[in-house]
Amino acid sequence: MQRNTWLRPEKGNSLTIRLLIWVALNLGYRVTALLRWPATLYYAAVYSSVRRASWQYLSHLHRAGALRRPHWGMVLRHIHAYSTNTLDRIYLLSGRFPRENLHITGQDILHEALHQNRGCIIMGAHIGSFDALRQCGLNASVPFRMLMYRRFIGATSRFIEALAPGFNADIIELGQPDSMLATLKALRNGEFIGILADRAHDGGRSIPIRFLGEEAPIPAGPFHLARLTGAPVVLVSAIRQKNGTYHIACTGLADTLLPETEPAPAREALLSPMQAYVRWMEELCQRHPYAWFNFFDFWEKGL
Amino acid sequence: MTTVSASHDQTPLERELAAHLTEAVQLDMDPLDIDPEMPLFGEGLGLDSIDVLEIALMVNTQYGIKLESHDDDNRKIFHSLRSLAHHISTHRPG
């Protein structure tokens, strides 16, 4: 078993992704959308780890009572949902995704959070599309910056992100000595900080929490950050609907929206918000089984 | 313990800072055993950027020095116990 299996370059090579981007930007959505099934079959055939990770996740969902018994057709549907997500990223990041196709609910909680003048941590997961959310963030009056781990970025993300002007300028890179100091500064300036909090990159800071019936290592770092800075946390998901639009939903993470002067002391204080976060992920997975985009051994129990 | 620490040659401020530091990041080692020249981040003491944030907040509370801005300097300031102590001694108010 290998730990942190997502910490490797993403799948996909630069030639196919550049071709895909060219087709998407020149031949339009409908034509490009036709490429999703060949791409899905290719990925499913070539990458056994992706197949197995999907199967493992679908089985967990089944045992949790949220899905019927998995079969290989569901694995293909899962990978197909991911190729749709990748396709949409091209349009979202190049600014060609129609704004009216992004619907946001619960945004009052964001205004409420900002009123506390401690900035706001927008916490998401690799469920649905964070780029759809980012698109909304860019239109807000407050700067929106993403905390990201960049060292192992693959060709797919590199070429797609190059479509968005200023994408890198809006990133605070994780894994640097001063990553959190830069984050603190941004929060004190009243900015939004986006984090996808479901992937651990430092085993030392993850805490095992029951997710879909079995303990998985969940990173504690984002919750430490919230505790130390006193910044309110808003959970945000952006889920693709059947008609191709995105529904962006904001909800406050319990306990973090109350103004507190004294940060709670230790690890125990992190458990309750972390469990609330994991419950939120579970509900999303149960309602949108194919929007889960962690194609690696999430539970670290072996694929 | 003290025989080991003697070889590290901590100044009085470094000794005090080391005690605050181990408490802030809940480091499971004797503060006197910290080599003042050893990098705090990564390979050295094995601290991560959340720890660096904890230390910055501790320095703010204990010594009244804000360490969140000046992005370029931070990596130098937080390099080691010694560089941090040096920064504190030269920036202490009053």
Side-chain angles (χ1 to χ4, degrees):
Chain A
M1 186 192 76
Q2 190 176 350
R3 288 181 64 83
N4 293 335
T5 36
W6 66 273
L7 282 179
R8 281 183 281 160
E10 297 164 305
K11 311 277 187 278
N13 64 62
S14 55
L15 185 67
T16 46
I17 191 65
R18 284 160 77 181
L19 189 64
L20 177 68
I21 291 172
W22 188 88
V23 171
L25 299 184
N26 292 284
L27 302 181
Y29 194 94
R30 277 167 195 279
V31 173
T32 320
L34 296 174
L35 297 175
R36 286 176 299 168
W37 273 115
T40 300
L41 294 171
Y42 171 79
Y43 271 81
V46 171
Y47 298 109
S48 66
S49 63
V50 170
R51 279 196 316 263
R52 288 200 302 268
S54 171
W55 185 270
Q56 183 197 47
Y57 159 75
L58 294 170
S59 304
H60 274 85
L61 213 45
H62 168 63
R63 286 199 293 274
L67 197 69
R68 60 208 166 92
R69 186 175 295 282
H71 55 77
W72 287 109
M74 290 155 81
V75 169
L76 289 178
R77 188 173 165 192
H78 190 196
I79 300 173
H80 185 263
Y82 182 67
S83 61
T84 302
N85 178 69
T86 305
L87 174 63
D88 285 350
R89 287 193 79 193
I90 296 175
Y91 291 94
L92 283 161
L93 287 171
S94 64
R96 298 179 190 210
F97 196 88
R99 289 245 46 215
E100 62 272 21
N101 287 352
L102 301 172
H103 305 290
I104 184 163
T105 57
Q107 68 267 46
D108 289 354
I109 200 104
L110 293 173
H111 303 301
E112 211 175 293
L114 284 179
H115 272 298
Q116 293 180 24
N117 291 323
R118 296 155 184 251
C120 177
I121 297 174
I122 307 252
M123 211 178 265
H126 290 80
I127 302 173
S129 171
F130 208 71
D131 294 305
L133 155 73
R134 182 177 164 276
Q135 208 56 36
C136 278
L138 290 178
N139 293 295
S141 52
V142 174
F144 178 81
R145 311 184 70 187
M146 279 293 291
L147 258 179
M148 288 176 101
Y149 201 73
R150 307 290 284 168
R151 201 171 302 163
F152 294 92
I153 190 149
T156 306
S157 289
R158 201 170 62 244
F159 284 107
I160 293 182
E161 285 164 9
L163 297 169
F167 188 89
N168 284 309
D170 295 330
I171 287 176
I172 298 176
E173 194 176 346
L174 280 170
Q176 305 296 320
D178 53 354
S179 304
M180 290 302 134
L181 294 174
T183 307
L184 175 66
K185 191 183 173 191
L187 288 168
R188 293 266 160 94
N189 287 339
E191 297 180 9
F192 283 122
I193 293 289
I195 313 177
L196 296 179
D198 53 342
R199 291 185 189 175
H201 68 270
D202 44 0
R205 279 205 194 267
S206 52
I207 295 178
I209 295 195
R210 213 174 163 76
F211 170 63
L212 295 176
E214 191 174 15
E215 281 189 344
I218 303 296
F223 301 88
H224 262 290
L225 174 68
R227 181 181 66 91
L228 289 173
T229 58
V233 179
V234 174
L235 301 174
V236 182
S237 62
I239 303 287
R240 193 180 198 271
Q241 309 297 302
K242 280 209 162 54
N243 61 5
T245 63
Y246 278 86
H247 176 217
I248 300 161
C250 311
T251 163
L253 180 62
D255 300 338
T256 65
L257 287 171
L258 304 168
E260 256 182 84
T261 40
E262 277 299 300
R267 183 184 156 110
E268 294 76 55
L270 300 178
L271 264 181
S272 144
M274 287 180 74
Q275 281 162 343
Y277 172 74
V278 171
R279 292 294 88 76
W280 171 81
M281 286 207 300
E282 283 182 335
E283 279 168 29
L284 280 175
C285 290
Q286 284 164 356
R287 272 186 288 137
H288 313 282
Y290 300 103
W292 171 259
F293 298 139
N294 284 313
F295 289 99
F296 63 93
D297 182 11
F298 192 79
W299 287 267
E300 294 191 357
K301 297 274 162 41
L303 281 180
Chain B
M1 285 295 199
T2 44
T3 49
V4 179
S5 62
S7 66
H8 286 321
D9 220 11
Q10 293 176 351
T11 67
L13 175 61
E14 285 166 3
R15 205 171 305 142
E16 180 191 285
L17 184 60
H20 288 313
L21 191 149
T22 47
E23 197 198 331
V25 303
Q26 296 172 343
L27 199 59
D28 193 18
M29 73 184 284
D30 189 325
L32 295 174
D33 287 345
I34 298 179
D35 178 348
E37 303 277 359
M38 185 189 260
L40 298 173
F41 187 81
E43 290 301 298
L45 273 183
L47 303 187
D48 63 14
S49 70
I50 295 266
D51 292 319
V52 172
L53 175 60
E54 295 254 23
I55 295 167
L57 296 171
M58 176 275 287
V59 167
N60 189 4
T61 318
Q62 298 288 341
Y63 301 97
I65 301 171
K66 281 207 170 206
L67 282 167
E68 64 191 75
S69 46
H70 309 299
D71 294 344
D72 301 332
D73 299 340
N74 276 328
R75 292 187 193 191
K76 279 182 222 151
I77 296 169
F78 284 97
H79 176 71
S80 63
L81 183 63
R82 181 144 295 162
S83 59
L84 185 59
H86 174 74
H87 182 81
I88 291 170
S89 65
T90 52
H91 289 77
R92 238 172 168 162

Coordinates of all heavy atoms in Angstrom, one line a residue, chain A residues 96-128:
Chain A
R96 N -15.6 31.1 -20.9 CA -16.6 30.9 -21.9 C -17.8 30.1 -21.4 O -18.7 29.8 -22.2 CB -16.0 30.1 -23.1 CG -14.9 30.9 -23.8 CD -14.4 30.1 -24.9 NE -13.1 30.7 -25.4 CZ -12.7 30.7 -26.6 NH1 -13.4 30.0 -27.5 NH2 -11.6 31.3 -27.0
F97 N -17.8 29.9 -20.1 CA -19.0 29.2 -19.5 C -20.1 30.3 -19.2 O -19.8 31.3 -18.5 CB -18.6 28.5 -18.2 CG -19.6 27.5 -17.8 CD1 -19.6 26.2 -18.3 CD2 -20.7 27.8 -16.9 CE1 -20.5 25.2 -17.9 CE2 -21.6 26.9 -16.5 CZ -21.5 25.6 -17.0
P98 N -21.3 30.1 -19.7 CA -22.3 31.2 -19.5 C -22.6 31.4 -18.0 O -22.9 30.5 -17.3 CB -23.5 30.6 -20.2 CG -23.1 29.5 -21.0 CD -21.8 29.0 -20.4
R99 N -22.5 32.6 -17.6 CA -22.7 33.0 -16.2 C -24.1 32.6 -15.7 O -24.3 32.2 -14.6 CB -22.5 34.5 -16.0 CG -21.2 35.0 -16.2 CD -20.7 35.6 -14.9 NE -21.0 34.7 -13.8 CZ -21.3 35.1 -12.6 NH1 -21.4 36.4 -12.3 NH2 -21.5 34.2 -11.6
E100 N -25.1 32.7 -16.6 CA -26.4 32.4 -16.2 C -26.6 30.9 -15.9 O -27.7 30.5 -15.4 CB -27.5 32.9 -17.2 CG -27.4 32.3 -18.6 CD -26.4 33.0 -19.5 OE1 -25.5 33.8 -19.0 OE2 -26.5 32.8 -20.8
N101 N -25.6 30.1 -16.3 CA -25.7 28.7 -15.9 C -25.1 28.3 -14.6 O -24.9 27.2 -14.3 CB -25.1 27.9 -17.1 CG -25.9 27.9 -18.3 OD1 -27.1 28.3 -18.3 ND2 -25.4 27.3 -19.4
L102 N -24.7 29.3 -13.8 CA -24.2 29.1 -12.5 C -25.2 29.7 -11.5 O -25.5 30.9 -11.5 CB -22.9 29.8 -12.3 CG -21.7 29.5 -13.2 CD1 -20.5 30.4 -13.0 CD2 -21.3 28.0 -13.0
H103 N -25.8 28.8 -10.7 CA -26.8 29.2 -9.8 C -26.3 29.0 -8.4 O -25.9 28.0 -8.0 CB -28.1 28.4 -9.9 CG -28.6 28.5 -11.3 ND1 -29.2 29.6 -11.9 CD2 -28.7 27.5 -12.3 CE1 -29.5 29.4 -13.1 NE2 -29.2 28.1 -13.4
I104 N -26.4 30.1 -7.6 CA -25.8 30.0 -6.2 C -26.9 30.2 -5.2 O -27.8 31.0 -5.4 CB -24.7 31.1 -6.1 CG1 -24.0 31.0 -4.7 CG2 -25.2 32.5 -6.3 CD1 -22.7 31.7 -4.6
T105 N -26.9 29.3 -4.2 CA -27.9 29.5 -3.1 C -27.1 29.6 -1.7 O -26.0 29.0 -1.6 CB -28.8 28.3 -3.0 OG1 -28.1 27.1 -2.9 CG2 -29.7 28.2 -4.2
G106 N -27.7 30.2 -0.8 CA -27.1 30.3 0.5 C -26.0 31.3 0.7 O -25.2 31.3 1.6
Q107 N -25.9 32.2 -0.3 CA -24.7 33.1 -0.3 C -24.8 34.2 0.8 O -23.8 34.8 1.1 CB -24.5 33.8 -1.7 CG -25.5 34.8 -2.1 CD -26.6 34.1 -2.9 OE1 -27.1 33.1 -2.6 NE2 -27.0 34.8 -4.0
D108 N -25.9 34.3 1.4 CA -26.1 35.2 2.6 C -25.0 34.9 3.7 O -24.5 35.8 4.3 CB -27.5 35.2 3.2 CG -28.5 35.8 2.3 OD1 -28.1 36.3 1.2 OD2 -29.7 35.7 2.6
I109 N -24.8 33.6 3.8 CA -23.8 33.2 4.8 C -22.4 33.7 4.6 O -21.7 34.0 5.5 CB -23.8 31.6 4.9 CG1 -23.2 31.2 6.3 CG2 -23.0 31.0 3.8 CD1 -24.3 30.7 7.2
L110 N -22.1 34.0 3.3 CA -20.8 34.5 2.9 C -20.7 36.0 3.4 O -19.7 36.4 4.0 CB -20.6 34.5 1.4 CG -20.4 33.1 0.8 CD1 -20.3 33.2 -0.7 CD2 -19.1 32.4 1.3
H111 N -21.8 36.7 3.2 CA -21.8 38.1 3.6 C -21.8 38.2 5.1 O -21.0 39.0 5.7 CB -23.1 38.8 3.1 CG -23.3 38.8 1.6 ND1 -22.3 39.3 0.8 CD2 -24.2 38.2 0.8 CE1 -22.7 39.1 -0.5 NE2 -23.9 38.4 -0.5
E112 N -22.5 37.3 5.7 CA -22.5 37.2 7.2 C -21.1 37.0 7.7 O -20.6 37.6 8.7 CB -23.4 36.1 7.6 CG -24.1 36.3 8.9 CD -25.1 35.1 9.1 OE1 -26.1 35.0 8.3 OE2 -24.8 34.3 10.0
A113 N -20.4 36.0 7.1 CA -19.1 35.7 7.5 C -18.1 36.9 7.4 O -17.3 37.1 8.2 CB -18.6 34.5 6.7
L114 N -18.2 37.5 6.2 CA -17.3 38.7 6.0 C -17.5 39.8 6.9 O -16.6 40.6 7.2 CB -17.5 39.1 4.5 CG -16.9 38.3 3.5 CD1 -17.1 38.8 2.1 CD2 -15.4 38.1 3.7
H115 N -18.7 39.9 7.5 CA -19.0 41.0 8.4 C -18.2 40.9 9.7 O -18.1 41.8 10.4 CB -20.5 41.0 8.8 CG -21.3 41.9 7.8 ND1 -21.0 43.2 7.7 CD2 -22.2 41.6 6.9 CE1 -21.8 43.7 6.7 NE2 -22.6 42.8 6.3
Q116 N -17.7 39.7 10.0 CA -16.9 39.5 11.2 C -15.5 40.0 11.0 O -14.7 40.0 12.0 CB -16.8 38.0 11.5 CG -18.1 37.4 11.9 CD -18.0 35.9 12.3 OE1 -17.0 35.5 12.7 NE2 -19.1 35.2 12.2
N117 N -15.1 40.5 9.8 CA -13.8 41.0 9.5 C -12.7 40.1 9.8 O -11.6 40.6 10.3 CB -13.7 42.4 10.3 CG -14.6 43.4 9.7 OD1 -14.8 43.5 8.5 ND2 -15.1 44.2 10.6
R118 N -12.8 38.9 9.7 CA -11.7 37.9 9.8 C -11.5 37.2 8.5 O -10.9 36.1 8.6 CB -12.1 36.9 10.9 CG -12.3 37.4 12.3 CD -13.2 36.4 13.0 NE -13.6 36.9 14.3 CZ -13.1 36.4 15.5 NH1 -12.3 35.4 15.4 NH2 -13.5 36.9 16.6
G119 N -11.9 37.7 7.4 CA -11.8 37.0 6.2 C -12.8 35.8 6.2 O -13.7 35.8 7.1
C120 N -12.6 34.9 5.3 CA -13.5 33.7 5.3 C -12.9 32.6 4.6 O -12.3 32.8 3.5 CB -14.8 34.1 4.6 SG -16.0 32.8 4.4
I121 N -12.9 31.4 5.2 CA -12.4 30.2 4.5 C -13.5 29.5 3.8 O -14.5 29.1 4.4 CB -11.7 29.3 5.6 CG1 -10.5 30.0 6.3 CG2 -11.3 28.0 4.9 CD1 -9.9 29.2 7.4
I122 N -13.4 29.4 2.5 CA -14.3 28.7 1.7 C -13.8 27.3 1.5 O -12.8 27.1 0.9 CB -14.4 29.3 0.3 CG1 -14.7 30.8 0.4 CG2 -15.4 28.6 -0.6 CD1 -16.0 31.3 0.0
M123 N -14.5 26.4 2.2 CA -14.0 25.0 2.2 C -14.8 24.1 1.3 O -16.0 24.1 1.3 CB -14.1 24.4 3.6 CG -13.0 23.4 3.9 SD -13.1 22.9 5.6 CE -12.0 24.0 6.5
G124 N -14.1 23.4 0.4 CA -14.8 22.5 -0.5 C -14.2 21.1 -0.4 O -13.4 20.8 0.5
A125 N -14.5 20.3 -1.4 CA -13.9 19.0 -1.5 C -13.8 18.6 -3.0 O -14.3 19.4 -3.8 CB -14.8 17.9 -0.8
H126 N -13.2 17.5 -3.3 CA -13.1 17.1 -4.7 C -14.4 16.4 -5.1 O -14.4 15.2 -5.4 CB -11.9 16.2 -4.9 CG -10.6 17.0 -4.8 ND1 -10.0 17.3 -3.6 CD2 -9.8 17.6 -5.8 CE1 -8.9 18.0 -3.9 NE2 -8.7 18.2 -5.2
I127 N -15.5 17.1 -4.9 CA -16.8 16.7 -5.2 C -17.4 17.8 -6.1 O -17.4 18.9 -5.6 CB -17.7 16.5 -4.0 CG1 -17.0 15.4 -3.0 CG2 -19.1 16.0 -4.3 CD1 -17.7 15.3 -1.7
G128 N -17.8 17.5 -7.3 CA -18.3 18.5 -8.2 C -17.2 19.4 -8.7 O -16.0 18.9 -8.8

